[in-house]
Amino acid sequence: AGPGDPGMLTLRGLECLQRADVIIHDKLVSPRVLEFAPAAAQRIAVDSLHERHTERWPLVQQMMIDLARQGKTVVRLKGGDPFIFGRGGEEAEALRQEGISYEVVPGITAALAAAACADIPLTHRFCASGVAFVTGHENPTKPESSVDWSALARFPGTLVIYMGMARLELIAKVLLEHGKPADTPAAIIQTASLGSQLARTTTLDKLDAMVRAEGLIPPAIVIIGPVVDFRPVQSWFERRPLFGQRVLVTRPRDQAAEMIHKLELLGANVFQLPVVEVRDPPDWSPVDDAIRRLHEYDWLVFTSVNGVQRFIQRLLDNGFDLRAFGRIKLASIGPGTAGALRHFNLKADVVPASFRSEDLVGVLKDKVKGHRILLARADRGRELLREELAAIAKVDQVAVYSQVDVICDQPELLLMLSRGEIAYVTLTSSNIARAFLNVLDETARLRIHNGSAKLVSISPVTSATIRELSFPIAAEATEHTADGVIQALLKLTAQGRQSLGPSE
Ligand code: SAH
């Protein structure tokens, strides 16, 4: 599964996940990686460190064997690389003995991700011609320890310690006792490759004190050796514009992926709290009827990406294809919606630049007098468009989806908000803004009012809703799309940095 960032899964790993009937995964594997598997695939979370034994094999291995014998394609998904501190060797052995065929897919192990994302080369022509991956799990002072720390103290390369946080004080002590210089550079990288990554450097003698002072916790990788000195003040990873910023994305789950990905590429530490959900409309029959009579309309008007996707999907599900659109003219409320049409190789005839119903009415007014218009939209929202168009044309409106508020099942995220641990909240529609602001408790409200959590709005309409509910807006997107929101966020953080002064 790689170190955590889903982008660091290998292509082969992805292929395997996409073909899996069953995935047996370690509990700590990122849920984002599991999303690559088909929805229908069975997911079984296991804890291989604390597992029980069946008669012959440990439980997890027996499970793999049984499922394989049922003819299932099984993926055993482990963090990092399966053959580095992952017991992959033992599991492969069990399969071999039972005559079950398998393949091993290498993964990006934590050491490699930590080194890359902290900008520390693990080997270097001038000072490290080797690298050792060592477990810090065993007590280094016990005689039965299988790690030869005295040899490692003399090893003329880079030491990388996995699972070492609990015993770091002892490990450093033993290395020093065996002659490793006290001023050997050392680094700790916590949650490498993720938006929450924390990397700190020091020297071997101060390693443990630093962990305590900075409150560093597992999972973390420790790198010891002169190569640590090659780390710049900030790594490439940490220099990205939104690095370290906690951003809350409140879009519906199935629409959030792209926005989250873009934010993460900019370095943000993204949290997801969907507050509305898109569902099928309560009744498809008006939509189906309109689709059958599509040729009778002159205009088809869309006011959201969802509207486009749902309408066209329904049309395809009903056995039609794009020819059903015939000569009908297409209007979209803004660039985002027009983009959704383009995705289906359809070009919007009318796209106001601004994203507001008022402006769509404005551009349509002269074009649609006396025409028949079909409006495909959500079952709630502003009625302005229908009302204004109905004054000059014949308008039918159908609900192609329903937007409902979801009950928040992530109290820990609301708690983070109350504690002031979320810096930015993105609000990408009026409904979303209303649903989000309604779930907040008093302290979280206060955080927004005193500016420790900042609201970023997608458009003037959304901003108006936010103001109606008496909340301040930190930034509003110039282009009323998810990308526009990200741009506004970038501007806002850049301003924040500037106001901190030149030393930042
Ligand atoms: N097979 C895994 C290692 C499992 S052992 C691999 O190849 O990476 C678990 C240890 O891996 C943790 O204690 C920690 O030291 C390290 N680790 C895993 N993910 C990490 C991450 N994202 N950042 C830092 N260390 C990580």
Side-chain angles (χ1 to χ4, degrees):
D5 171 4
M8 290 193 191
L9 184 69
T10 65
L11 283 178
R12 185 66 193 135
L14 177 65
E15 279 176 358
C16 291
L17 278 177
Q18 286 169 339
R19 276 182 213 162
D21 297 318
V22 187
I23 298 147
I24 305 175
H25 64 91
D26 284 351
K27 276 202 179 110
L28 293 178
V29 161
S30 158
R32 303 267 301 283
V33 171
L34 288 168
E35 277 171 23
F36 290 126
Q42 189 189 356
R43 290 153 167 84
I44 306 173
V46 295
D47 188 345
S48 56
L49 291 180
H50 306 111
E51 69 180 8
R52 287 174 290 136
H53 275 244
T54 57
E55 251 165 52
R56 184 157 157 71
W57 300 109
L59 192 63
V60 173
Q61 297 174 21
Q62 190 62 52
M63 214 189 283
M64 286 201 288
I65 293 162
D66 293 345
L67 287 163
R69 291 235 161 94
Q70 290 166 24
K72 300 246 162 77
T73 302
V74 182
V75 166
R76 173 75 175 101
L77 187 66
K78 293 163 169 290
D81 180 273
F83 278 8
I84 304 259
F85 305 125
R87 302 197 184 179
E90 295 159 43
E91 294 178 8
E93 167 88 46
L95 294 175
R96 257 191 326 266
Q97 287 200 21
E98 296 287 334
I100 290 165
S101 64
Y102 63 86
E103 76 173 90
V104 180
V105 181
I108 295 186
T109 188
L112 302 186
C117 296
D119 248 338
I120 299 171
L122 286 177
T123 66
H124 198 289
R125 219 143 51 93
F126 303 138
C127 61
S129 41
V131 48
F133 293 168
V134 187
T135 170
H137 191 58
E138 298 176 24
N139 185 337
T141 58
K142 288 267 167 68
E144 67 270 17
S145 164
S146 61
V147 183
D148 183 346
W149 292 98
S150 77
L152 287 173
R154 291 189 309 273
F155 176 63
T158 307
L159 297 182
V160 181
I161 303 171
Y162 286 69
M163 297 173 277
M165 296 299 273
R167 300 191 197 277
L168 207 51
E169 189 178 0
L170 279 179
I171 291 169
K173 190 164 154 257
V174 172
L175 284 172
L176 290 167
E177 276 168 14
H178 286 98
K180 192 121 192 121
D183 61 355
T184 309
I188 297 193
I189 302 102
Q190 181 182 308
T191 54
S193 83
L194 296 173
S196 57
Q197 173 175 306
L198 263 184
R200 294 288 180 268
T201 54
T202 180
T203 47
L204 183 57
D205 55 340
K206 302 195 182 74
L207 196 53
D208 183 58
M210 184 190 67
V211 169
R212 286 169 208 269
E214 300 265 345
L216 298 176
I217 50 168
I221 281 285
V222 183
I223 302 180
I224 301 171
V227 286
V228 170
D229 275 343
F230 287 95
R231 172 177 157 83
V233 178
Q234 279 186 317
S235 69
W236 65 269
F237 189 84
E238 295 147 355
R239 272 198 305 271
R240 293 172 306 162
L242 296 180
F243 180 72
Q245 306 288 355
R246 296 204 177 118
V247 179
L248 193 65
V249 170
T250 51
R251 303 193 106 180
R253 205 171 281 283
D254 50 347
Q255 277 179 292
E258 194 184 328
M259 185 174 182
I260 292 177
H261 186 55
K262 286 181 176 167
L263 285 166
E264 284 180 341
L265 286 178
L266 292 165
N269 189 4
V270 183
F271 297 84
Q272 194 178 6
L273 181 73
V275 291
V276 302
E277 195 179 276
V278 175
R279 295 204 189 137
D280 283 347
D283 181 11
W284 276 116
S285 57
V287 181
D288 292 343
D289 187 46
I291 288 173
R292 261 193 312 276
R293 295 185 298 105
L294 205 51
H295 56 275
E296 294 174 14
Y297 292 98
D298 304 300
W299 285 89
L300 176 54
V301 179
F302 290 108
T303 55
S304 68
V305 171
N306 271 317
V308 171
Q309 289 170 344
R310 297 260 160 173
F311 184 86
I312 297 180
Q313 193 54 54
R314 187 69 189 176
L315 184 146
L316 299 173
D317 290 348
N318 281 351
F320 295 98
D321 62 25
L322 291 189
R323 286 170 298 178
F325 286 98
R327 280 179 220 283
I328 201 165
K329 287 214 169 359
L330 300 171
S332 100
I333 197 157
T337 308
L341 280 168
R342 225 171 10 254
H343 194 78
F344 291 99
N345 294 324
L346 292 167
K347 183 173 163 294
D349 298 283
V350 164
V351 194
S354 74
F355 187 72
R356 291 164 60 220
S357 301
E358 286 82 346
D359 300 301
L360 184 55
V361 171
V363 274
L364 280 178
K365 224 164 34 203
D366 297 335
K367 300 183 166 41
V368 301
K369 281 213 178 81
H371 287 184
R372 289 153 305 174
I373 302 177
L374 178 63
L375 221 90
R377 46 165 292 176
D379 65 352
R380 70 176 183 188
R382 299 169 84 207
E383 287 299 323
L384 183 126
L385 189 61
R386 186 181 54 79
E387 285 163 8
E388 300 262 310
L389 290 177
I392 46 170
K394 188 181 171 315
V395 182
D396 288 336
Q397 176 166 294
V398 287
V400 288
Y401 64 100
S402 199
Q403 223 180 38
V404 290
D405 294 356
V406 293
I407 311 291
C408 169
D409 58 352
Q410 295 177 94
E412 71 284 356
L413 276 181
L414 295 178
L415 213 63
M416 284 180 76
L417 258 166
S418 307
R419 288 202 227 103
E421 292 168 357
I422 298 282
Y424 301 98
V425 181
T426 59
L427 297 173
T428 44
S429 79
S430 280
N431 285 336
I432 288 173
R434 198 172 294 118
F436 171 73
L437 294 169
N438 279 337
V439 298
L440 299 183
D441 65 15
E442 221 24 69
T443 356
R445 284 161 187 269
L446 214 65
R447 292 288 176 189
I448 295 173
H449 281 292
N450 71 19
S452 75
K454 298 187 169 63
L455 304 184
V456 184
S457 151
I458 196 170
S459 73
V461 176
T462 302
S463 299
T465 305
I466 297 170
R467 287 200 192 93
E468 253 167 53
L469 296 166
S470 313
F471 284 94
I473 293 150
E476 183 184 282
T478 319
E479 194 204 275
H480 311 311
T481 60
D483 283 346
V485 170
I486 295 174
Q487 288 306 321
L489 195 62
L490 280 168
K491 240 199 240 161
L492 201 58
T493 52
Q495 279 164 9
R497 267 194 297 277
Q498 255 164 24
S499 65
L500 284 175
S503 63
E504 270 285 315

